[in-house]
Amino acid sequence: MELLKERILKDGIVIMPDILKVDSFLNHQIDPTLYRQIAQEFKARFKDTKITKILTIEASGIGIALATAFEFDDAPVVFAKKTQSINIDGEVYHTKVESFTHKRTYDVILSKKFLNEDDHVLIIDDFLANGCAMLGLIDLVKGSGATIEGAGVVIEKGMQNGGDLIRSQGVHLESLAIIDSMTDTSLTFRN
């Protein structure tokens, strides 16, 4: 997706050799026009796929998942929570997810009333680095008995093994921008 790549080059900031800061347009401040185009691109890439639910993990994936849901006939968005709270009642699916950015492990939960074996799920997230968050979401979907129809990621760090790991699971993964290398002075995308 050329517009996304241009925006990354213009406004993205490489903090370390493996951290890309895109908070001015993707995951802190949101550019609605870019989100709309991201959602339309996910729809184009999964156009022949039956989707009944869109799944993400809090918090940065929620906006992208919601924008994408509009393109899939308002399929409900369900997001896995990183903390238990008193307003989550009943049974939950549970998994552990290690955050690459936050350098900690989360106990991730999803209420069983929002995902079941009749669902056809598209997983959406903002970044894919080492694959832990995506693997956690895949684990939740498998635990529910639902069908994973695919996964869409806005930015994949191709120099890390997450994309290869997810693809080796047999998941149809579509990444809108794959970064092969980055330094504080340059960024290289995969074609």
PDB file of all heavy atoms in Angstrom, residues 129-152:
ATOM      1  N   ALA A 129       5.535  -8.044  14.892  1.00  0.00           N
ATOM      2  CA  ALA A 129       6.986  -8.095  15.091  1.00  0.00           C
ATOM      3  C   ALA A 129       7.393  -9.559  15.248  1.00  0.00           C
ATOM      4  O   ALA A 129       7.653 -10.252  14.276  1.00  0.00           O
ATOM      5  CB  ALA A 129       7.386  -7.260  16.303  1.00  0.00           C
ATOM      6  N   ASN A 130       7.384 -10.049  16.482  1.00  0.00           N
ATOM      7  CA  ASN A 130       7.788 -11.439  16.705  1.00  0.00           C
ATOM      8  C   ASN A 130       6.612 -12.409  16.681  1.00  0.00           C
ATOM      9  O   ASN A 130       6.801 -13.604  16.785  1.00  0.00           O
ATOM     10  CB  ASN A 130       8.585 -11.572  18.000  1.00  0.00           C
ATOM     11  CG  ASN A 130       7.808 -11.106  19.212  1.00  0.00           C
ATOM     12  OD1 ASN A 130       6.590 -10.993  19.167  1.00  0.00           O
ATOM     13  ND2 ASN A 130       8.493 -10.824  20.296  1.00  0.00           N
ATOM     14  N   GLY A 131       5.393 -11.889  16.549  1.00  0.00           N
ATOM     15  CA  GLY A 131       4.223 -12.739  16.360  1.00  0.00           C
ATOM     16  C   GLY A 131       3.479 -13.147  17.611  1.00  0.00           C
ATOM     17  O   GLY A 131       2.461 -13.837  17.511  1.00  0.00           O
ATOM     18  N   CYS A 132       3.942 -12.741  18.774  1.00  0.00           N
ATOM     19  CA  CYS A 132       3.314 -13.206  20.020  1.00  0.00           C
ATOM     20  C   CYS A 132       1.858 -12.772  20.153  1.00  0.00           C
ATOM     21  O   CYS A 132       1.000 -13.584  20.520  1.00  0.00           O
ATOM     22  CB  CYS A 132       4.115 -12.739  21.230  1.00  0.00           C
ATOM     23  SG  CYS A 132       5.700 -13.568  21.387  1.00  0.00           S
ATOM     24  N   ALA A 133       1.551 -11.524  19.874  1.00  0.00           N
ATOM     25  CA  ALA A 133       0.160 -11.059  19.988  1.00  0.00           C
ATOM     26  C   ALA A 133      -0.730 -11.810  19.003  1.00  0.00           C
ATOM     27  O   ALA A 133      -1.819 -12.276  19.357  1.00  0.00           O
ATOM     28  CB  ALA A 133       0.071  -9.551  19.756  1.00  0.00           C
ATOM     29  N   MET A 134      -0.273 -11.943  17.770  1.00  0.00           N
ATOM     30  CA  MET A 134      -1.064 -12.640  16.757  1.00  0.00           C
ATOM     31  C   MET A 134      -1.257 -14.103  17.130  1.00  0.00           C
ATOM     32  O   MET A 134      -2.353 -14.654  16.987  1.00  0.00           O
ATOM     33  CB  MET A 134      -0.388 -12.512  15.392  1.00  0.00           C
ATOM     34  CG  MET A 134      -1.185 -13.064  14.242  1.00  0.00           C
ATOM     35  SD  MET A 134      -2.698 -12.159  13.868  1.00  0.00           S
ATOM     36  CE  MET A 134      -2.061 -10.619  13.262  1.00  0.00           C
ATOM     37  N   LEU A 135      -0.200 -14.751  17.625  1.00  0.00           N
ATOM     38  CA  LEU A 135      -0.334 -16.144  18.051  1.00  0.00           C
ATOM     39  C   LEU A 135      -1.325 -16.273  19.197  1.00  0.00           C
ATOM     40  O   LEU A 135      -2.092 -17.237  19.264  1.00  0.00           O
ATOM     41  CB  LEU A 135       1.023 -16.721  18.451  1.00  0.00           C
ATOM     42  CG  LEU A 135       1.978 -17.001  17.301  1.00  0.00           C
ATOM     43  CD1 LEU A 135       3.368 -17.365  17.829  1.00  0.00           C
ATOM     44  CD2 LEU A 135       1.446 -18.103  16.393  1.00  0.00           C
ATOM     45  N   GLY A 136      -1.322 -15.298  20.099  1.00  0.00           N
ATOM     46  CA  GLY A 136      -2.293 -15.298  21.191  1.00  0.00           C
ATOM     47  C   GLY A 136      -3.716 -15.188  20.674  1.00  0.00           C
ATOM     48  O   GLY A 136      -4.623 -15.900  21.133  1.00  0.00           O
ATOM     49  N   LEU A 137      -3.941 -14.301  19.695  1.00  0.00           N
ATOM     50  CA  LEU A 137      -5.277 -14.157  19.115  1.00  0.00           C
ATOM     51  C   LEU A 137      -5.687 -15.430  18.374  1.00  0.00           C
ATOM     52  O   LEU A 137      -6.843 -15.867  18.464  1.00  0.00           O
ATOM     53  CB  LEU A 137      -5.318 -12.939  18.191  1.00  0.00           C
ATOM     54  CG  LEU A 137      -5.182 -11.581  18.891  1.00  0.00           C
ATOM     55  CD1 LEU A 137      -5.071 -10.457  17.878  1.00  0.00           C
ATOM     56  CD2 LEU A 137      -6.330 -11.333  19.861  1.00  0.00           C
ATOM     57  N   ILE A 138      -4.753 -16.034  17.666  1.00  0.00           N
ATOM     58  CA  ILE A 138      -5.029 -17.304  16.981  1.00  0.00           C
ATOM     59  C   ILE A 138      -5.426 -18.368  18.004  1.00  0.00           C
ATOM     60  O   ILE A 138      -6.373 -19.131  17.790  1.00  0.00           O
ATOM     61  CB  ILE A 138      -3.813 -17.746  16.141  1.00  0.00           C
ATOM     62  CG1 ILE A 138      -3.638 -16.813  14.936  1.00  0.00           C
ATOM     63  CG2 ILE A 138      -3.928 -19.207  15.704  1.00  0.00           C
ATOM     64  CD1 ILE A 138      -2.307 -16.967  14.213  1.00  0.00           C
ATOM     65  N   ASP A 139      -4.725 -18.398  19.122  1.00  0.00           N
ATOM     66  CA  ASP A 139      -5.026 -19.353  20.185  1.00  0.00           C
ATOM     67  C   ASP A 139      -6.450 -19.145  20.720  1.00  0.00           C
ATOM     68  O   ASP A 139      -7.186 -20.114  20.941  1.00  0.00           O
ATOM     69  CB  ASP A 139      -3.996 -19.191  21.312  1.00  0.00           C
ATOM     70  CG  ASP A 139      -4.140 -20.223  22.401  1.00  0.00           C
ATOM     71  OD1 ASP A 139      -4.254 -21.428  22.090  1.00  0.00           O
ATOM     72  OD2 ASP A 139      -4.135 -19.820  23.588  1.00  0.00           O
ATOM     73  N   LEU A 140      -6.852 -17.882  20.894  1.00  0.00           N
ATOM     74  CA  LEU A 140      -8.211 -17.603  21.376  1.00  0.00           C
ATOM     75  C   LEU A 140      -9.259 -18.080  20.370  1.00  0.00           C
ATOM     76  O   LEU A 140     -10.271 -18.672  20.761  1.00  0.00           O
ATOM     77  CB  LEU A 140      -8.386 -16.103  21.636  1.00  0.00           C
ATOM     78  CG  LEU A 140      -7.587 -15.513  22.800  1.00  0.00           C
ATOM     79  CD1 LEU A 140      -7.748 -13.994  22.842  1.00  0.00           C
ATOM     80  CD2 LEU A 140      -8.000 -16.137  24.131  1.00  0.00           C
ATOM     81  N   VAL A 141      -9.015 -17.824  19.089  1.00  0.00           N
ATOM     82  CA  VAL A 141      -9.972 -18.251  18.056  1.00  0.00           C
ATOM     83  C   VAL A 141     -10.055 -19.780  18.024  1.00  0.00           C
ATOM     84  O   VAL A 141     -11.155 -20.348  17.981  1.00  0.00           O
ATOM     85  CB  VAL A 141      -9.594 -17.692  16.667  1.00  0.00           C
ATOM     86  CG1 VAL A 141     -10.535 -18.244  15.599  1.00  0.00           C
ATOM     87  CG2 VAL A 141      -9.631 -16.177  16.665  1.00  0.00           C
ATOM     88  N   LYS A 142      -8.926 -20.443  18.056  1.00  0.00           N
ATOM     89  CA  LYS A 142      -8.935 -21.910  18.044  1.00  0.00           C
ATOM     90  C   LYS A 142      -9.663 -22.455  19.262  1.00  0.00           C
ATOM     91  O   LYS A 142     -10.417 -23.428  19.170  1.00  0.00           O
ATOM     92  CB  LYS A 142      -7.511 -22.448  17.979  1.00  0.00           C
ATOM     93  CG  LYS A 142      -6.879 -22.280  16.611  1.00  0.00           C
ATOM     94  CD  LYS A 142      -5.471 -22.849  16.562  1.00  0.00           C
ATOM     95  CE  LYS A 142      -4.888 -22.737  15.166  1.00  0.00           C
ATOM     96  NZ  LYS A 142      -3.503 -23.229  15.101  1.00  0.00           N
ATOM     97  N   GLY A 143      -9.455 -21.817  20.416  1.00  0.00           N
ATOM     98  CA  GLY A 143     -10.136 -22.241  21.639  1.00  0.00           C
ATOM     99  C   GLY A 143     -11.646 -22.106  21.552  1.00  0.00           C
ATOM    100  O   GLY A 143     -12.379 -22.861  22.182  1.00  0.00           O
ATOM    101  N   SER A 144     -12.116 -21.169  20.755  1.00  0.00           N
ATOM    102  CA  SER A 144     -13.558 -20.946  20.606  1.00  0.00           C
ATOM    103  C   SER A 144     -14.188 -21.899  19.605  1.00  0.00           C
ATOM    104  O   SER A 144     -15.403 -22.024  19.547  1.00  0.00           O
ATOM    105  CB  SER A 144     -13.817 -19.509  20.145  1.00  0.00           C
ATOM    106  OG  SER A 144     -13.493 -19.352  18.776  1.00  0.00           O
ATOM    107  N   GLY A 145     -13.347 -22.526  18.767  1.00  0.00           N
ATOM    108  CA  GLY A 145     -13.862 -23.382  17.713  1.00  0.00           C
ATOM    109  C   GLY A 145     -14.238 -22.629  16.445  1.00  0.00           C
ATOM    110  O   GLY A 145     -14.704 -23.209  15.475  1.00  0.00           O
ATOM    111  N   ALA A 146     -14.049 -21.305  16.451  1.00  0.00           N
ATOM    112  CA  ALA A 146     -14.353 -20.487  15.273  1.00  0.00           C
ATOM    113  C   ALA A 146     -13.333 -20.758  14.172  1.00  0.00           C
ATOM    114  O   ALA A 146     -12.287 -21.363  14.407  1.00  0.00           O
ATOM    115  CB  ALA A 146     -14.353 -19.000  15.657  1.00  0.00           C
ATOM    116  N   THR A 147     -13.641 -20.269  12.977  1.00  0.00           N
ATOM    117  CA  THR A 147     -12.764 -20.437  11.827  1.00  0.00           C
ATOM    118  C   THR A 147     -11.953 -19.165  11.611  1.00  0.00           C
ATOM    119  O   THR A 147     -12.525 -18.075  11.549  1.00  0.00           O
ATOM    120  CB  THR A 147     -13.591 -20.721  10.559  1.00  0.00           C
ATOM    121  OG1 THR A 147     -14.385 -21.885  10.787  1.00  0.00           O
ATOM    122  CG2 THR A 147     -12.706 -20.919   9.345  1.00  0.00           C
ATOM    123  N   ILE A 148     -10.643 -19.314  11.502  1.00  0.00           N
ATOM    124  CA  ILE A 148      -9.780 -18.168  11.186  1.00  0.00           C
ATOM    125  C   ILE A 148      -9.762 -18.029   9.671  1.00  0.00           C
ATOM    126  O   ILE A 148      -9.244 -18.890   8.962  1.00  0.00           O
ATOM    127  CB  ILE A 148      -8.353 -18.369  11.717  1.00  0.00           C
ATOM    128  CG1 ILE A 148      -8.351 -18.536  13.226  1.00  0.00           C
ATOM    129  CG2 ILE A 148      -7.460 -17.193  11.289  1.00  0.00           C
ATOM    130  CD1 ILE A 148      -7.023 -18.989  13.800  1.00  0.00           C
ATOM    131  N   GLU A 149     -10.325 -16.932   9.187  1.00  0.00           N
ATOM    132  CA  GLU A 149     -10.371 -16.691   7.747  1.00  0.00           C
ATOM    133  C   GLU A 149      -9.131 -15.966   7.252  1.00  0.00           C
ATOM    134  O   GLU A 149      -8.820 -15.997   6.072  1.00  0.00           O
ATOM    135  CB  GLU A 149     -11.636 -15.916   7.371  1.00  0.00           C
ATOM    136  CG  GLU A 149     -12.913 -16.672   7.642  1.00  0.00           C
ATOM    137  CD  GLU A 149     -13.102 -17.915   6.786  1.00  0.00           C
ATOM    138  OE1 GLU A 149     -12.352 -18.103   5.807  1.00  0.00           O
ATOM    139  OE2 GLU A 149     -14.008 -18.712   7.094  1.00  0.00           O
ATOM    140  N   GLY A 150      -8.444 -15.284   8.167  1.00  0.00           N
ATOM    141  CA  GLY A 150      -7.235 -14.577   7.796  1.00  0.00           C
ATOM    142  C   GLY A 150      -6.832 -13.589   8.861  1.00  0.00           C
ATOM    143  O   GLY A 150      -7.510 -13.428   9.874  1.00  0.00           O
ATOM    144  N   ALA A 151      -5.706 -12.941   8.595  1.00  0.00           N
ATOM    145  CA  ALA A 151      -5.181 -11.923   9.500  1.00  0.00           C
ATOM    146  C   ALA A 151      -4.642 -10.775   8.668  1.00  0.00           C
ATOM    147  O   ALA A 151      -3.955 -10.991   7.669  1.00  0.00           O
ATOM    148  CB  ALA A 151      -4.077 -12.500  10.385  1.00  0.00           C
ATOM    149  N   GLY A 152      -4.967  -9.566   9.088  1.00  0.00           N
ATOM    150  CA  GLY A 152      -4.481  -8.372   8.425  1.00  0.00           C
ATOM    151  C   GLY A 152      -3.664  -7.538   9.381  1.00  0.00           C
ATOM    152  O   GLY A 152      -4.088  -7.283  10.505  1.00  0.00           O
TER     153      GLY A 152
END
